[in-house]
Amino acid sequence: MSDVGGKSVAVLQGGTGIEAEPLEPSQEIMSLWKKVHQSMRGEFGEAIFRSWLKPLVLRAYYHGTMEVSVPTRFMRDWIQNHYAERILAMCSESDSGIKKLQIVVVQNAIIDDEDLDGAKQDVKSVKANQNKKGEVASVSSPLDARFKFESFVVGKPNALAHAAARRVVESMAVPFNPLFLYGGVGLGKTHLMHAIAWQMEEHWPDKTVMYLSAEKFMYQFVRALRANDTMNFKEQFRSVDVLMIDDVQFISGKESTQEEFFHTFNALVDQNKQIIISADKAPSDLAGIDERLRSRLAWGLVADIHPTTYELRLGILQAKRQQLQADVPSSVLEFLALKVTSNIRELEGALNRIVAHSDVAKQEITLESTQEVLQDLLRAHDRRITIDEIQRKVAEHYNLRLSDMHSARRARSVARPRQVAMYLAKQLTARSLPEIGRKFGGRDHTTVMHAVRKIEELMDEDAQIAQDVDVVRRALTG
Ligand code: ADP
Ligand code: MG
């Protein structure tokens, strides 16, 4: 368990949920950490704190080791290389018994400002809350403290989805069931769902809200099946007031999970409980989803989020600049809004990078420095690297035939390079997982997702793979 925004929620570790629970740190260590965490803000500055240090969460303390978590591997490495030594020194200054700082990756572990400020961090109240909503919390996924209505910029492409989300929170009765949000990657579906959950908590604290990805729903279901415990599973899901399932396309082709979901869905609708679903496509376009379920999903309000416009991108950058309290000239924002058009996640990433760079290099942000720092990204956008190009380069690099990229051959000598190509396609193009899968001989999007994770993992462990990826990437972007 970990607390987010004063609520207790289960953290799905490393995306698998299979990991031992850490030892809980004592009150003294927790308050020491809170103090140190706050001093980092003073020492490293607001922008660096927000980009890198704010997401650090204390997880455990044992034999002089402080174990803290961050949400991504990239962050862990960056903090390890740039700040870890100083952070440890700050801890040891407060308690000389602290000898080591261990940084671990825990996906979705994000903590909110208010938590650090004190009152809400009261362990007792967290515990009480845990008991009350424990059942649900053990299944529900953590909410990202940044994903609230206040930080959601509304524009033409997302106006309908936003208005619908607001209605759900503000209505006494269920206004439409389900609310179905759909749109491409990185356009704000998850942000809106979390915003609903946060706001529900504020407006209707007695209601239980459950938010989880379809992937996790399936994982829980399969686990319940294995443990012969489907009764409990059904009860957990059917006792909530609001159920949100993110990225429902994930259960394409998973028949028994769909079946179970369909029953849960109907049971909740019968009890007049709100259901909110997101997907990358409209209900009618969801391939591999049972016809009954598809038509059921379209019963309520279907709201799509369109690709961003220049105005929305600029609006988001301006809002983000204010949040970061960073000195970014408007010409730079306009440049980014023009150049980084793929999705909002990438747009935010670009801004974070130039702000962090200017902080570290103690340089002011200009159009020139932006172009320099974002060279790789901008080049990828300018050149519009295609999947075909990636496949050609990878095949060339590994001395394979181009057809091996599409073939069904599973020999590692072919399968691994194919995974490298999928990984690069995800990284260097704006194509969605299903689109990439299609380009690789009609493979499923889950195969692509697996390939991306596998290569990310291997790059950490296997220097050869890391080098191969680097060489091919340079050949493509250089
Ligand atoms: P999706 O779930 O559709 O793939 P996310 O909700 O994860 O996309 O959004 C990706 C990133 O873009 C998040 O950091 C989110 O906060 C940000 N974002 C998306 N839409 C908006 C918006 N309208 N205003 C501000 N930030 C946004
Ligand atoms: Mg999402």
Side-chain angles (χ1 to χ4, degrees):
M1 292 282 159
S2 120
D3 55 308
V4 175
K7 282 202 303 258
S8 61
V9 278
V11 176
L12 193 62
Q13 276 131 6
T16 63
I18 309 163
E19 198 181 285
E21 281 291 327
L23 299 167
E24 215 170 283
S26 69
Q27 282 274 24
E28 289 100 86
I29 289 292
M30 278 170 57
S31 68
L32 179 149
W33 173 251
K34 246 189 285 171
K35 256 190 267 146
V36 169
H37 202 211
Q38 277 310 313
S39 334
M40 292 177 204
R41 190 195 289 260
E43 177 152 342
F44 297 110
E46 185 65 23
I48 289 189
F49 180 77
R50 282 187 175 262
S51 306
W52 302 108
L53 305 170
K54 192 177 155 199
L56 281 169
V57 176
L58 175 63
R59 257 169 75 81
Y61 180 74
Y62 42 83
H63 317 304
T65 298
M66 298 278 276
E67 184 177 302
V68 297
S69 69
V70 288
T72 66
R73 194 176 296 171
F74 176 68
M75 248 177 165
R76 178 197 63 195
D77 296 344
W78 186 269
I79 295 170
Q80 191 72 55
N81 290 330
H82 295 81
Y83 309 112
E85 209 175 304
R86 183 61 198 135
I87 296 172
L88 175 60
M90 287 160 89
C91 293
S92 313
E93 274 163 31
S94 305
D95 178 344
S96 59
I98 300 173
K99 300 277 186 248
K100 192 171 166 213
L101 182 74
Q102 175 90 18
I103 307 174
V104 300
V105 181
V106 176
Q107 275 170 12
N108 296 336
I110 284 156
I111 200 156
D112 181 315
D113 252 354
E114 285 77 31
D115 293 327
L116 304 169
D117 292 344
K120 281 195 179 170
Q121 186 78 328
D122 180 357
V123 177
K124 276 198 214 90
S125 75
V126 168
K127 284 267 158 64
N129 212 347
Q130 237 169 48
N131 292 340
K132 196 175 94 210
K133 296 191 175 178
E135 280 271 293
V136 167
S138 69
V139 179
S140 203
S141 286
L143 299 175
D144 191 317
R146 295 166 307 176
F147 293 178
K148 299 194 172 166
F149 278 120
E150 299 88 81
S151 58
F152 191 85
V153 179
V154 185
K156 234 190 185 153
N158 58 29
L160 175 64
H162 174 262
R166 282 267 186 206
R167 269 290 289 286
V168 165
V169 188
E170 279 151 20
S171 307
M172 283 293 283
V174 171
F176 22 70
N177 224 357
L179 167 58
F180 189 97
L181 300 169
Y182 78 93
V185 174
L187 296 182
K189 302 181 294 294
T190 298
H191 188 136
L192 272 181
M193 290 176 111
H194 286 209
I196 293 172
W198 285 116
Q199 193 88 336
M200 291 294 297
E201 181 72 22
E202 231 170 76
H203 282 200
W204 320 100
D206 294 335
K207 291 199 177 178
T208 43
V209 178
M210 190 188 278
Y211 164 87
L212 74 168
S213 65
E215 182 177 9
K216 195 172 173 193
F217 179 87
M218 184 179 88
Y219 168 77
Q220 297 278 350
F221 176 56
V222 170
R223 204 171 57 170
L225 280 179
R226 286 213 189 105
N228 248 327
D229 192 22
T230 47
M231 280 306 288
N232 198 14
F233 174 87
K234 283 179 204 291
E235 230 161 71
Q236 273 177 339
F237 279 93
R238 288 168 200 191
S239 65
V240 302
D241 296 300
V242 180
L243 175 66
M244 299 196 221
I245 304 279
D246 205 350
D247 288 321
V248 80
Q249 73 275 1
F250 184 86
I251 60 170
S252 292
K254 317 278 194 308
E255 278 162 33
S256 47
T257 302
Q258 280 180 39
E259 177 85 24
E260 183 60 32
F261 177 61
F262 185 68
H263 292 313
T264 306
F265 188 104
N266 287 332
L268 286 173
V269 171
D270 283 348
Q271 296 174 57
N272 212 13
K273 300 295 172 63
Q274 179 75 57
I275 297 175
I276 304 166
I277 308 283
S278 88
D280 62 351
K281 288 187 210 66
S284 54
D285 295 334
L286 283 171
I289 299 263
D290 178 66
E291 170 57 32
R292 277 183 318 170
L293 181 54
R294 260 190 295 157
S295 74
R296 200 71 185 74
L297 288 174
W299 266 27
L301 182 77
V302 176
D304 55 343
I305 306 187
H306 295 275
T308 57
T309 56
Y310 174 79
E311 286 73 33
L312 180 60
R313 291 195 294 276
L314 190 60
I316 288 170
L317 287 169
Q318 284 163 343
K320 192 94 183 119
R321 167 172 68 182
Q322 201 171 4
Q323 273 167 35
L324 292 171
Q325 296 175 14
D327 218 349
V328 190
S330 295
S331 60
V332 167
L333 297 190
E334 284 154 22
F335 174 77
L336 291 178
L338 206 60
K339 288 287 184 181
V340 186
T341 56
S342 47
N343 66 52
I344 300 170
R345 190 171 301 137
E346 203 162 29
L347 191 65
E348 284 185 346
L351 184 64
N352 284 336
R353 261 170 76 182
I354 60 169
V355 170
H357 177 272
S358 97
D359 256 317
V360 174
K362 305 238 179 298
Q363 240 176 35
E364 66 179 307
I365 298 170
T366 63
L367 212 45
E368 289 72 46
S369 73
T370 299
Q371 277 165 326
E372 205 182 298
V373 174
L374 299 181
Q375 246 179 45
D376 52 338
L377 183 87
L378 295 172
R379 231 187 262 133
H381 278 270
D382 275 350
R383 284 195 51 255
R384 294 216 174 273
I385 296 171
T386 63
I387 295 181
D388 296 358
E389 242 179 297
I390 293 172
Q391 293 177 331
R392 259 200 309 280
K393 281 273 189 273
V394 171
E396 218 171 82
H397 180 84
Y398 285 99
N399 266 322
L400 298 172
R401 287 187 306 262
L402 185 57
S403 60
D404 286 327
M405 292 289 134
H406 316 116
S407 78
R409 284 182 62 197
R410 289 179 177 202
R412 163 135 348 146
S413 60
V414 178
R416 193 68 87 217
R418 199 187 289 127
Q419 289 180 319
V420 167
M422 290 184 200
Y423 168 80
L424 286 170
K426 181 78 197 93
Q427 198 185 48
L428 300 176
T429 75
R431 301 277 153 252
S432 67
L433 295 175
E435 282 173 317
I436 295 172
R438 272 198 291 283
K439 283 282 198 175
F440 283 83
R443 287 180 157 78
D444 195 69
H445 75 277
T446 52
T447 307
V448 182
M449 194 153 72
H450 172 74
V452 171
R453 288 196 187 148
K454 185 77 203 169
I455 296 301
E456 277 175 353
E457 226 174 72
L458 286 174
M459 280 168 57
D460 254 6
E461 296 158 4
D462 184 338
Q464 185 61 50
I465 293 263
Q467 195 192 340
D468 288 349
V469 170
D470 198 48
V471 168
V472 179
R473 185 169 32 215
R474 274 172 208 274
L476 286 161
T477 57

